């Protein structure tokens, strides 16, 4: 019988622990390389969590970074 998996088990093997994303998954989420993500961390341009030796993010951390990175288009000048 197929029963729904508990949330914790659904994340096993996906790089997620309790909703946290590791570097590979966070970079994929942002659409950038892992090297670029690590450079953002070194420059403190993106917030992160350190869990033991691992850098980790929640989807909301990454969404917040994307929102702060938004540059609106300039409106065309009226003639």
């Amino acid at each position: 019988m197929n029963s729904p998996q508990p949330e914790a088990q659904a994340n096993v093997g996906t790089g997620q622990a309790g909703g946290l994303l590791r570097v590979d998954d966070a970079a994929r989420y942002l659409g950038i390389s892992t090297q670029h993500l690590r450079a953002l961390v070194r420059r403190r341009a993106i917030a992160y969590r350190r869990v033991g030796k691992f850098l980790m993010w929640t989807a909301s951390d990454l969404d917040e970074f994307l929102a702060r990175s938004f540059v609106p288009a300039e409106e065309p000048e009226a003639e």
Side-chain angles (χ1 to χ4, degrees), residues 13-68:
T14 64
Q16 298 178 2
L20 292 175
L21 301 167
R22 290 189 181 181
V23 172
D24 291 348
D25 295 312
R28 191 174 308 111
Y29 186 95
L30 294 173
I32 61 176
S33 69
T34 57
Q35 293 86 358
H36 187 189
L37 180 55
R38 289 181 186 279
L40 291 171
V41 167
R42 280 192 302 275
R43 291 194 318 257
R44 302 241 175 171
I46 188 169
Y48 62 94
R49 290 160 169 60
R50 183 171 293 280
V51 180
K53 66 179 183 176
F54 300 105
L55 301 176
M56 302 188 109
W57 294 264
T58 63
S60 62
D61 293 334
L62 301 175
D63 290 338
E64 184 179 308
F65 170 75
L66 289 173
R68 284 194 326 267

